[in-house]
Amino acid sequence: MGVAQHDGAQAESQGAADRSGPIRVVVAKPGLDGHDRGAKVIARALRDAGMEVIYTGLHQTPEQIVDTAIQEDADAIGLSILSGAHNTLFAKVIALLEERDAADIKVFGGGIIPEADIAPLKAQGVAEIFTPGATTASIVEWVRANVRQSAV
């Protein structure tokens, strides 16, 4: 029994890059946006590609999203924002991850995000932005190539 406890503690102490198994992604709809079809499509595509997906549902606060990502030991957070609050909401999620020593969790997102806002979001720490027209295959491929590269 002592060995199993030691192995568990050892596994918990390893960083996300050292873990094996499927990539874990939290897909979230922050803020007041009530349109979640795109988020559900992305969640299903990631799941069908062999990833573990935790969909948080509508109207999540940045605090709830970060709490979920940490509790679920997520490798990434995918945010879907159609409300126009992307600058505020992405920044808050990034700041909370840094405050909670979880900046290794990659943040990516999509939705109705003007081209002019993409570079500033990336400068703040958002790993990638997918705009309307991005295919599910391109999103899955990006996650595989950029999130916990040693997985799957």
Side-chain angles (χ1 to χ4, degrees):
M1 190 181 294
V3 172
Q5 289 175 347
H6 174 72
D7 289 345
Q10 182 179 4
E12 285 179 352
S13 69
Q14 292 179 345
D18 296 332
R19 286 188 294 153
S20 61
I23 295 170
R24 295 177 59 81
V25 181
V26 169
V27 174
K29 290 291 300 181
L32 300 176
D33 182 4
H35 299 91
D36 65 348
R37 184 177 299 169
K40 288 179 177 178
V41 168
I42 298 306
R44 180 172 290 242
L46 295 172
R47 185 206 63 200
D48 289 351
M51 299 176 207
E52 289 185 21
V53 178
I54 301 95
Y55 177 62
T56 63
L58 293 170
H59 310 300
Q60 298 293 295
T61 66
E63 291 82 4
Q64 289 171 315
I65 294 165
V66 170
D67 286 346
T68 299
I70 291 169
Q71 289 169 6
E72 294 290 343
D73 201 21
D75 300 301
I77 298 171
L79 298 174
S80 171
I81 303 174
L82 305 175
S83 66
H86 49 274
N87 290 321
T88 302
L89 293 169
F90 275 115
K92 184 67 174 170
V93 169
I94 297 285
L96 287 168
L97 288 170
E98 290 172 3
E99 285 175 21
R100 297 181 187 179
D101 294 323
D104 60 323
I105 299 173
K106 289 206 178 189
V107 176
F108 67 97
I112 307 300
I113 299 171
E115 190 70 34
D117 291 346
I118 294 174
L121 288 169
K122 287 185 175 184
Q124 291 176 5
V126 178
E128 188 60 85
I129 297 291
F130 297 96
T131 55
T135 65
T136 55
S138 68
I139 296 168
V140 166
E141 185 58 35
W142 182 88
V143 171
R144 282 189 176 144
N146 293 282
V147 175
R148 194 163 47 101
Q149 289 88 343
S150 63
V152 185

